[in-house]
Amino acid sequence: MPWDLKPDRPIYTQLIEQIQLNIFSGVYPLGSKLPSVRDLAQEAAVNPNTMQRALAKLEEDGLIITHRTSGRSITEDANMVKLARNRLAKEQIAEFLEKMKLMGFEKQETLTLITTMLEEMKK
Amino acid sequence: MPWDLKPDRPIYTQLIEQIQLNIFSGVYPLGSKLPSVRDLAQEAAVNPNTMQRALAKLEEDGLIITHRTSGRSITEDANMVKLARNRLAKEQIAEFLEKMKLMGFEKQETLTLITTMLEEMKK
DNA sequence: ACTATTGTATTAAGCGCTTAATACAATAGT
DNA sequence: ACTATTGTATTAAGCGCTTAATACAATAGT
């Protein structure tokens, strides 16, 4: 798989995003075994610790499971994946609404704005 | 006016937000004169350069006008304020949609999610 | 039993961004 | 004309976060 890493954001967050996508989209099938941190790191041309950091976050989110000395695998729980995806989305949304609030936009106004904005983009 | 500065985010961004709010809400009336950078800085218990940085951004956004040696004032153009407010909102929205896309959420799905989320919060 | 392969903990270097110190430039106001 | 007051430019210190180096711990696999 192609690792697309840009220098404008932390590497580890980009790794998280890309692995997440691969899990959500089924590129990494449920229950499948992941390459070792070192192998993944080499593949992505990245320090093993950096890859480790990304994997740790994914484990925390319940997307992957660590088997101490025999590597990691994707969770087998399809529902877990669905929930995690949903939770991550809600976190982003909450953070976004918070920012808008700081700027003086209440929830309702924000929703209207985003709706009309998407409407405009369709044209 | 009370300056509420927390150590978890850059000071200058917080200054920007708070001054913006004051302009949007009319606490700083259109065309009114602002205290000098130094005075504002002292009021907010902040280094003058930090306040300067915030004011520079607000000027760039067209919200305030600098008169070189006689201080600054709020723009007199009510429409400018309205447009700026709108533009800032759109920037936030675009950034948010971009993040969601990186996480594998298309615009339509994002909109649905945010709508149902707000619906739930009403209860 | 041994060795190669797992993941992990600790620590330090690097880097970019924010903040602050300082000096400068221009002019309003007297 | 002078001086206090404006904004501004430059530069360096500080700080937090990311990344990397290194050593360690556990065990699967032979």
Side-chain angles (χ1 to χ4, degrees), chain A residues 107-122:
Chain A
K107 295 190 189 67
Q108 201 47 55
E109 187 180 6
T110 298
L111 183 57
T112 325
L113 266 171
I114 199 172
T115 309
T116 61
M117 193 167 157
L118 287 178
E119 207 56 49
E120 280 173 15
M121 293 175 81
K122 276 188 183 167

Side-chain angles (χ1 to χ4, degrees), chain B residues 44-59:
Chain B
V46 143
N47 186 283
N49 283 304
T50 307
M51 183 57 75
Q52 162 78 13
R53 181 163 183 180
L55 295 176
K57 171 66 160 59
L58 293 173
E59 183 178 13

